[in-house]
Amino acid sequence: MIPQEVNMAKVKTTFFCQNCGSQYAKWQGQCTSCKEWNTIAEEVIQKPEKSDWKTPSSTTKRTSRPLKINEIDTSQEARLNMQDAEFNRVLGGGMVHGSLTLLGGEPGIGKSTLLLQIALKLQYKTLYVSGEESQKQIKMRAERINSKSSNCYILTETKTQNIFKQIEKLQPDIVVIDSIQTLHSDYIESSAGSISQIKECTTELIKFAKETATPVLLIGHITKDGHIAGPKILEHMVDTVLQFEGDRNHVFRILRANKNRFGSTNELGIYEMQGSGLREVSNPSEILISEKDGELSGNAVAATLEGLRPLMIEVQALVSTAVYGTPQRSATGFNAKRLNMLLAVLEKRAGFRLGAKDVFLNITGGITVDDPAIDLAVVASILSSNEDVALPSDYCFAAEVGLSGEIRPVQRVEQRILEAEKLGFSTIFVSKYNKIALKNTSIKIQLISKIEDLVGYLV
Ligand code: TYD
Ligand code: MG
């Protein structure tokens, strides 16, 4: 009896929800916090007394004391220049000392390429730790990127304790970890990539970053529904969460900040994947121009927000004379009732006879949009198709349309305008009632108050 109890006491296990990271003392079928079924799994954890990034002998125990806010010295908080204009912009002007930045993105999108390329360009002493590729493979990648640097060190290691040993020897200015899901710590028994390992390794890295003021860049995998793999807590723990996205079949990649403790999340960086690494795209209108072969009627671009992030979406409409008695109305990615409402407004307020016309509406890219700010682009695309007049391809729209044909303001219009400007649009149509505090924008902001005003500009 007794030895068995001793054995049992040695192996400590806890149950974690693999979806949201909640911790439970025993197994249950449904996670009470995220309501998912069958996501709770047992993980072995073992917490010995020390889980410090340094061995206790080398650490002089520092305890912090409260300081008056104006006593805190920020003079050495100057940011590290990452030698990459797009990356610096997204971070809010460079990397902050002692910060943890997480870079997420789909497999093969170019996360390792981006961070290796940055590591190779830096003048600071950089340690690039890879748990995924061997030193030779990384060297081959570095040769493709074709950057000459002697200040970047490559380490292939997955155990955090060994990584910290090397860090102590090398004393790097910046540490890159590729990826957090491949790391494991001796203090936890469960396998690399499990919730408890990710939590423990991140805690150790945060402790290291804050105590030595060394910035750490982490690469994180994402799950098939687009979230960073591992517990949501990972995103809470780090200072900055960046997302690298784009279509793998297209060459353009977009870097966004989903969370940034030291800057805004409105900035985005654009890159082009080339045979020799990622090129910074400083003039994004080249993307739009390269994709267009002439102007087509029925197309209009909306400046929408997807969650917190601005997104430019193309709306396509086809208006044709109905062959059968009852005209067809169909919408893909847009609410059909809302389409009928907008058609009624166009008929009643702007005098377009659409009652006997078939109207088909499509949001390109297979996206569904709930943002009411897309209304004006829908109306513009219908007008354009009805009159068979193409809209200038550098026009975009962001406003809601009311029942009496009034153009209503939308939330966070400045963010939309800045996104449109960044993407190279020349003119954005917004409601006259939006309060816009922007100055010195290169994009023309066309204020309109009624649907008739729009007709005047377009047709
Ligand atoms: P990678 O950085 O390995 O992606 P991740 O770490 O996000 O999984 O990127 C791999 C892709 O990038 C691969 O499909 C090849 C492409 N690539 C280039 O097109 N040019 C290059 O110079 C490099 C290094 C990669
Ligand atoms: Mg990789």
Side-chain angles (χ1 to χ4, degrees):
M1 271 318 271
I2 296 161
Q4 211 180 19
E5 257 175 32
V6 170
N7 255 342
M8 284 192 48
K10 257 189 187 164
V11 183
K12 233 179 129 187
T13 67
T14 315
F15 295 82
F16 287 98
C17 169
Q18 304 293 312
N19 185 47
C20 69
S22 306
Q23 198 170 334
Y24 297 95
K26 54 181 198 212
W27 189 86
Q28 57 196 58
Q30 188 189 21
C31 170
T32 29
S33 92
C34 71
K35 305 278 181 280
E36 283 291 319
W37 289 92
N38 290 329
T39 54
I40 294 177
E42 185 172 17
E43 288 182 13
V44 184
I45 53 161
Q46 211 167 35
K47 263 229 182 270
E49 317 70 52
K50 295 284 168 305
S51 81
D52 239 336
W53 74 273
K54 277 182 177 180
T55 43
S57 58
S58 64
T59 331
T60 38
K61 266 272 169 271
R62 270 188 292 160
T63 48
S64 80
R65 71 182 171 87
L67 288 175
K68 271 197 195 153
I69 191 136
N70 44 15
E71 279 172 15
I72 301 170
D73 181 20
T74 53
S75 57
Q76 22 153 291
E77 291 299 307
R79 294 171 183 245
L80 298 172
N81 179 357
M82 304 302 283
Q83 307 291 328
D84 181 310
E86 301 290 299
F87 201 72
N88 276 339
R89 191 205 342 268
V90 176
L91 286 175
M95 242 183 145
V96 173
H97 286 276
S99 65
L100 241 85
T101 304
L102 177 66
L103 174 70
E106 303 228 342
I109 201 82
K111 302 180 293 296
S112 308
T113 308
L114 177 66
L115 292 194
L116 181 65
Q117 184 177 328
I118 288 172
L120 291 174
K121 266 196 275 182
L122 288 175
Q123 286 139 10
Y124 306 105
K125 198 195 270 181
T126 315
L127 178 65
Y128 186 99
V129 185
S130 180
E132 302 196 335
E133 287 157 288
S134 70
Q135 280 158 316
K136 281 211 183 79
Q137 285 170 322
I138 296 169
K139 170 81 195 206
M140 277 162 61
R141 190 195 288 265
E143 276 167 1
R144 277 182 82 175
I145 295 169
N146 196 14
S147 172
K148 300 159 217 64
S149 159
S150 51
N151 238 350
C152 178
Y153 294 79
I154 308 289
L155 171 70
T156 9
E157 181 58 69
T158 53
K159 195 153 106 182
T160 54
Q161 281 75 20
N162 292 348
I163 294 173
F164 290 135
K165 245 181 244 158
Q166 298 300 332
I167 287 177
E168 250 183 294
K169 260 190 236 156
L170 187 68
Q171 302 280 333
D173 297 317
I174 293 185
V175 176
V176 179
I177 308 272
D178 184 3
S179 62
I180 183 73
Q181 280 87 1
T182 57
L183 291 193
H184 67 97
S185 167
D186 265 352
Y187 300 113
I188 301 271
E189 293 273 302
S190 62
S191 62
S194 63
I195 305 265
S196 45
Q197 277 292 6
I198 292 178
K199 242 177 171 172
E200 172 64 26
C201 296
T202 314
T203 314
E204 288 175 18
L205 285 167
I206 288 182
K207 206 148 188 237
F208 156 72
K210 306 286 168 200
E211 279 181 13
T212 60
T214 311
V216 177
L217 275 159
L218 299 174
I219 288 180
H221 295 167
I222 62 169
T223 57
K224 61 178 186 295
D225 47 356
H227 296 117
I228 290 176
K232 194 85 192 157
I233 196 163
L234 182 56
E235 283 159 73
H236 288 299
M237 285 161 99
V238 300
D239 299 301
T240 305
V241 180
L242 304 180
Q243 185 149 351
F244 205 36
E245 57 190 31
D247 191 338
R248 228 185 322 160
N249 303 320
H250 287 100
V251 288
F252 294 104
R253 303 282 187 275
I254 292 183
L255 182 72
R256 297 174 187 275
N258 286 351
K259 162 183 173 178
N260 193 350
R261 284 190 184 148
F262 315 111
S264 100
T265 50
N266 295 344
E267 297 292 350
L268 63 118
I270 303 179
Y271 294 91
E272 181 184 358
M273 181 62 94
Q274 296 184 327
S276 55
L278 290 155
R279 180 181 72 91
E280 298 164 40
V281 178
S282 38
N283 174 20
S285 59
E286 59 193 276
I287 303 179
L288 288 168
I289 292 159
S290 67
E291 282 178 1
K292 289 267 184 297
D293 309 331
E295 289 168 356
L296 300 169
S297 71
N299 286 7
V301 178
T304 65
L305 285 176
E306 186 216 357
L308 282 174
R309 295 177 305 164
L311 191 67
M312 306 300 290
I313 293 180
E314 188 155 357
V315 182
Q316 294 182 316
L318 179 68
V319 180
S320 64
T321 311
V323 182
Y324 305 107
T326 322
Q328 292 189 60
R329 268 77 205 274
S330 119
T332 317
F334 187 73
N335 187 332
K337 283 192 184 139
R338 184 115 198 130
L339 172 63
N340 281 331
M341 185 215 104
L342 292 175
L343 290 173
V345 171
L346 270 176
E347 180 129 12
K348 179 102 183 162
R349 305 284 165 198
F352 284 92
R353 313 220 22 95
L354 297 165
K357 300 270 177 85
D358 285 342
V359 180
F360 303 97
L361 191 80
N362 185 22
I363 309 288
T364 53
I367 321 167
T368 302
V369 183
D370 296 325
D371 185 357
I374 198 171
D375 283 0
L376 195 58
V378 170
V379 167
S381 68
I382 292 170
L383 287 178
S384 157
S385 177
N386 191 46
E387 302 293 313
D388 202 18
V389 179
L391 302 176
S393 60
D394 53 358
Y395 276 20
C396 64
F397 305 86
E400 190 180 340
V401 175
L403 279 181
S404 56
E406 80 276 21
I407 307 298
R408 301 169 67 170
V410 289
Q411 50 153 341
R412 293 215 296 280
V413 72
E414 275 124 356
Q415 207 180 335
R416 301 173 199 259
I417 295 172
L418 290 175
E419 175 91 358
E421 180 182 29
K422 177 95 209 275
L423 291 176
F425 286 89
S426 71
T427 308
I428 184 166
F429 287 82
V430 295
S431 164
K432 204 173 114 187
Y433 308 106
N434 257 125
K435 302 237 174 333
I436 300 165
L438 290 173
K439 282 189 202 91
N440 303 327
T441 49
S442 61
I443 187 167
K444 184 171 174 210
I445 302 169
Q446 191 70 61
L447 301 173
I448 53 175
S449 60
K450 296 191 298 295
I451 210 157
E452 297 93 302
D453 299 351
L454 178 72
V455 178
Y457 281 109
L458 303 183
V459 189

